């Protein structure tokens, strides 16, 4: 896979680009009208960094945002609650993302795995 495809897939695993249930789709067509499909590599990197920082540092209910002045893309990440699951620190978070006139968002549960990264659980 190309670096851009890999970055999009990594972003997809962490974000909430579309409110469509990912598990219900067997391919990537559901991204056609989702903000992530219109984001540049720089947008995706900013979104991922914001998500990681919000999950790692923010208190429950505290929102962090990102924006790319070059593209107009932006978004937010808000951890809603923290808990432990299978020995891992987990957080439910609300995301919004905007790019090229498209808006998306949703709630997801992510858990911190052994390497320190956040893994999408649901």
């Amino acid at each position: 896979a190309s670096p851009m495809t890999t970055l999009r897939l990594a972003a997809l695993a962490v974000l909430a680009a579309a409110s469509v249930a990912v598990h219900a789709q067997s391919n990537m067509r559901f991204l056609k009208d989702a903000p992530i499909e219109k984001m540049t590599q720089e947008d995706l990197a900013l979104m991922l960094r914001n998500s990681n920082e919000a999950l790692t540092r923010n208190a429950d209910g505290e929102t962090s945002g990102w924006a790319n002045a070059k593209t107009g893309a932006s978004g937010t990440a808000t951890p809603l609650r923290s808990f432990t699951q299978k020995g891992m620190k987990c957080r439910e978070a609300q995301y919004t993302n905007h790019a090229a006139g498209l808006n998306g968002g949703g709630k997801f549960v992510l858990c911190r795995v052994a390497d320190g990264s956040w893994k999408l659980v649901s």
Side-chain angles (χ1 to χ4, degrees), residues 18-81:
S19 57
V20 178
V22 175
H23 60 78
Q25 299 293 330
S26 59
N27 57 43
M28 301 295 266
R29 280 187 312 211
F30 72 95
L31 289 177
K32 181 174 173 252
D33 295 319
I36 193 172
E37 184 61 21
K38 305 296 183 187
M39 289 181 184
T40 65
Q41 189 166 355
E42 185 178 27
D43 295 335
L44 295 169
L46 289 167
M47 181 187 62
L48 284 171
R49 184 171 64 222
N50 182 65
S51 175
N52 287 333
E53 288 177 0
L55 292 168
T56 301
R57 297 188 182 122
N58 288 15
D60 289 348
E62 181 183 354
T63 299
S64 290
W66 68 273
N68 187 340
K70 294 180 201 170
T71 64
S74 64
T76 63
T78 308
L80 301 173
R81 66 185 179 97

